[in-house]
Amino acid sequence: MRVLKLIGNLFLLPLYLFSLIVPRNKKLWVMGSWFGNRYSDSSRYVFEYITENEPDIRAIWLTRQKNIVRGLRSKNLEAYSIYSLKGYWYSCRASVAMFTVNITDVNTIGSSKALKFQLWHGIPLKKIVYDDNYNNPINKTGLVRSLSQIKSFLLPFKDVYGKWDAVASTSPLVSNIFKSAFQLPENKIFITGTPRGDIILDKEPDKPSVLKINPLDLPIEKKICYFPTHRNDAKALSDFINSINLSNLPDFLEKHNTILYIKLHYYNLANHTHRIDTPRVVLLNENDESDINYLLPWTDVLITDYSSVYFDYLLLNRPIIFTPFDLNEYMSKDRELYGEYELLTPGSKCNTWNEVTGELTKLFSGNDEHYEIRTKMKEEYHTFSDTRNSERVVGVVKSLLNQ
């Protein structure tokens, strides 16, 4: 099967070579997100900023999902399938390709010679790309690495790592992480702030439709969100979530008129097997809300484990509770971290839902013990705390194109 796939990709090589000679248009930019499968994250926010504020730039969204193409076109936004002739042609003509994971977010074959701007998907707690010793094929040795190098030689448009021309950062501290993770010099990393911040700090955010749904007409005074990171094996996470039924958390939520929203990482959504008995715990799927950044402004307390979402939530400086119930196993099998977990996480650590309930009891009584450390970390990780990050990203790209 892999041999057939390789042979099939070889037939794409002429299309790649053609893309190298097509003249690029500085006013044409293509964008995508999450391997072309989602309309979300920082590239979405930059895309929408451009369509609303930059009439001289033609922004095009590329995706592998037909429903995303239809949805954007219904809003008079320009979108094409990555696989379509237009998707390929506009990738060849675009001077800029922007993404949140890698070049496979857009059309890999056509975008290879565009200015590739990496927006990334958050401030990393977990080691990423070149620093990730567990999941990155770049760091493999022996036969695997040799085969990867041969593949890159035969199929240069498939070489998705280490080919970024610029990266958006949020602070000098984060820039140092990105220098190592992306193996880039300092002059290719730009402190613009994360476009996610524009959504999180919006003074008049649109209320997500899922938050308007209340079929049982429950009184709701506070909203809590639990956003755990992805795992290679999510069974332990499923067991942890299901243990809510055996804890005192449901009674606490009922007593305080509170709703707990749970959204698993995009990678693990398809395989979850959770059964929660109380209507005050809502399990969200991709159709409910594909982009958790729109939920953060409405969240009174965030609960997470190793997800970088808490770095974004620092912009609001609201309470965070951490649940590292499988920390040792996670670090030995899934990812290493950029430092000691205890020092990098500004909040109480809980291994059971009863412990979470105890921390929520303190917070709801006004006892926020971690406000000062959150404030300090916010300053360290976010140079900007405004809603002009997308604007700064566009400004950087314009300056690079004019060099």
Side-chain angles (χ1 to χ4, degrees), residues 301-355:
V301 181
L302 174 68
I303 304 174
T304 189
D305 45 19
Y306 325 114
S307 171
S308 64
V309 65
Y310 78 88
F311 283 118
D312 301 313
Y313 196 66
L314 284 174
L315 288 166
L316 297 168
N317 206 348
R318 297 175 189 169
I320 308 169
I321 296 174
F322 294 90
T323 56
F325 68 93
D326 58 347
L327 177 60
N328 293 332
E329 182 179 2
Y330 182 84
M331 290 184 62
S332 64
K333 294 183 179 180
D334 285 76
R335 291 284 189 89
E336 298 172 296
L337 308 180
Y338 281 110
E340 294 184 31
Y341 184 79
E342 184 68 31
L343 299 178
L344 291 171
T345 48
S348 299
K349 315 302 184 290
C350 301
N351 289 309
T352 68
W353 289 107
N354 283 341
E355 291 179 11

Side-chain angles (χ1 to χ4, degrees), residues 14 41-42 74 158 172 181 184 228 267 274 307 316 346 365 383 391 403:
D41 226 309
S42 286
S74 70
K158 287 289 186 178
L184 286 176
Y267 290 166
H274 306 129
S307 171
L316 297 168
S365 65
T383 297
E391 177 185 343
Q403 286 181 356

Side-chain angles (χ1 to χ4, degrees), residues 357-383:
T357 304
E359 292 303 320
L360 288 171
T361 301
K362 294 179 185 177
L363 291 171
F364 280 27
S365 65
N367 185 11
D368 184 357
E369 299 174 350
H370 298 90
Y371 177 83
E372 291 185 4
I373 184 61
R374 289 200 312 271
T375 301
K376 180 181 178 182
M377 288 192 69
K378 174 186 174 182
E379 294 171 351
E380 292 175 341
Y381 284 90
H382 294 281
T383 297

Side-chain angles (χ1 to χ4, degrees), residues 26-27 29 31 42-59 95-96 98 115 117 119 166-168 190-195 198 388-402:
K26 287 186 177 182
K27 301 296 184 180
W29 300 9
M31 303 174 189
S42 286
S43 48
R44 169 183 176 174
Y45 316 142
V46 176
F47 174 71
E48 293 178 353
Y49 170 82
I50 291 173
T51 58
E52 294 173 8
N53 300 282
E54 297 285 346
D56 292 336
I57 299 175
R58 183 181 177 186
S95 61
V96 177
M98 305 183 79
L115 187 154
F117 201 109
L119 297 169
V167 176
F190 300 87
I191 299 176
T192 60
T194 174
D198 298 345
R388 299 181 60 190
N389 301 316
S390 293
E391 177 185 343
R392 281 186 285 267
V393 166
V394 172
V396 167
V397 175
K398 286 181 176 180
S399 67
L400 292 173
L401 291 176
N402 292 326

Side-chain angles (χ1 to χ4, degrees), residues 36-39 61-75 77 79-82 266 286-287 290:
N37 291 319
R38 307 177 77 197
Y39 180 61
W61 189 267
L62 298 179
T63 176
R64 304 176 197 277
Q65 304 299 322
K66 292 181 180 179
N67 62 314
I68 294 178
V69 173
R70 290 193 296 267
L72 291 177
R73 289 181 179 177
S74 70
K75 300 176 183 178
L77 298 173
Y80 301 100
S81 168
I82 286 176
Y266 166 64
E286 191 75 353
N287 293 328
S290 63

Side-chain angles (χ1 to χ4, degrees), residues 132-381:
D132 180 5
N133 292 313
Y134 291 165
N135 302 292
N136 190 356
I138 295 174
N139 297 327
K140 302 298 182 182
T141 58
L143 180 60
V144 173
R145 186 168 186 175
S146 297
L147 291 175
S148 179
Q149 291 172 341
I150 293 172
K151 180 180 178 182
S152 296
F153 175 76
L154 294 175
L155 306 171
F157 54 87
K158 287 289 186 178
D159 190 7
V160 297
Y161 292 101
K163 299 297 182 180
W164 304 294
D165 299 301
V167 176
S169 173
T170 61
S171 74
L173 187 155
V174 176
S175 294
N176 284 331
I177 295 175
F178 283 165
K179 282 166 60 179
S180 172
F182 299 140
Q183 293 291 285
L184 286 176
E186 188 173 355
N187 63 356
K188 288 192 174 185
I189 301 174
F190 300 87
I191 299 176
T192 60
T194 174
R196 292 177 172 206
D198 298 345
I199 304 302
I200 296 168
L201 291 176
D202 189 343
K203 293 182 180 179
E204 297 181 356
D206 293 331
K207 192 172 187 178
S209 57
V210 68
L211 300 186
K212 301 175 185 177
I213 300 173
N214 186 4
L216 298 180
D217 198 26
L218 299 172
I220 300 175
E221 297 178 16
K222 289 186 180 295
K223 302 177 183 68
I224 302 171
C225 285
Y226 175 48
F227 299 144
T229 197
H230 64 86
R231 290 160 169 78
N232 294 328
D233 181 1
K235 184 182 183 304
L237 178 60
S238 292
D239 292 342
F240 181 67
I241 293 175
N242 289 335
S243 69
I244 289 176
N245 293 320
L246 304 177
S247 73
N248 53 21
L249 180 59
D251 291 338
F252 175 90
L253 298 174
E254 186 64 37
K255 177 181 178 181
H256 293 275
N257 292 332
T258 297
I259 292 285
L260 170 62
Y261 295 97
I262 299 177
K263 175 72 184 293
L264 299 188
H265 190 279
Y266 166 64
Y267 290 166
N268 293 139
L269 269 176
N271 300 316
H272 70 89
T273 54
H274 306 129
R275 299 292 183 270
I276 305 299
D277 297 334
T278 171
R280 289 197 172 272
V281 177
V282 179
L283 299 174
L284 302 177
N285 59 40
E286 191 75 353
N287 293 328
D288 293 322
E289 180 53 67
S290 63
D291 195 329
I292 62 173
N293 295 303
Y294 286 98
L295 296 174
L296 294 183
W298 303 91
T299 301
D300 296 292
V301 181
L302 174 68
I303 304 174
T304 189
D305 45 19
Y306 325 114
S307 171
S308 64
V309 65
Y310 78 88
F311 283 118
D312 301 313
Y313 196 66
L314 284 174
L315 288 166
L316 297 168
N317 206 348
R318 297 175 189 169
I320 308 169
I321 296 174
F322 294 90
T323 56
F325 68 93
D326 58 347
L327 177 60
N328 293 332
E329 182 179 2
Y330 182 84
M331 290 184 62
S332 64
K333 294 183 179 180
D334 285 76
R335 291 284 189 89
E336 298 172 296
L337 308 180
Y338 281 110
E340 294 184 31
Y341 184 79
E342 184 68 31
L343 299 178
L344 291 171
T345 48
S348 299
K349 315 302 184 290
C350 301
N351 289 309
T352 68
W353 289 107
N354 283 341
E355 291 179 11
V356 170
T357 304
E359 292 303 320
L360 288 171
T361 301
K362 294 179 185 177
L363 291 171
F364 280 27
S365 65
N367 185 11
D368 184 357
E369 299 174 350
H370 298 90
Y371 177 83
E372 291 185 4
I373 184 61
R374 289 200 312 271
T375 301
K376 180 181 178 182
M377 288 192 69
K378 174 186 174 182
E379 294 171 351
E380 292 175 341
Y381 284 90

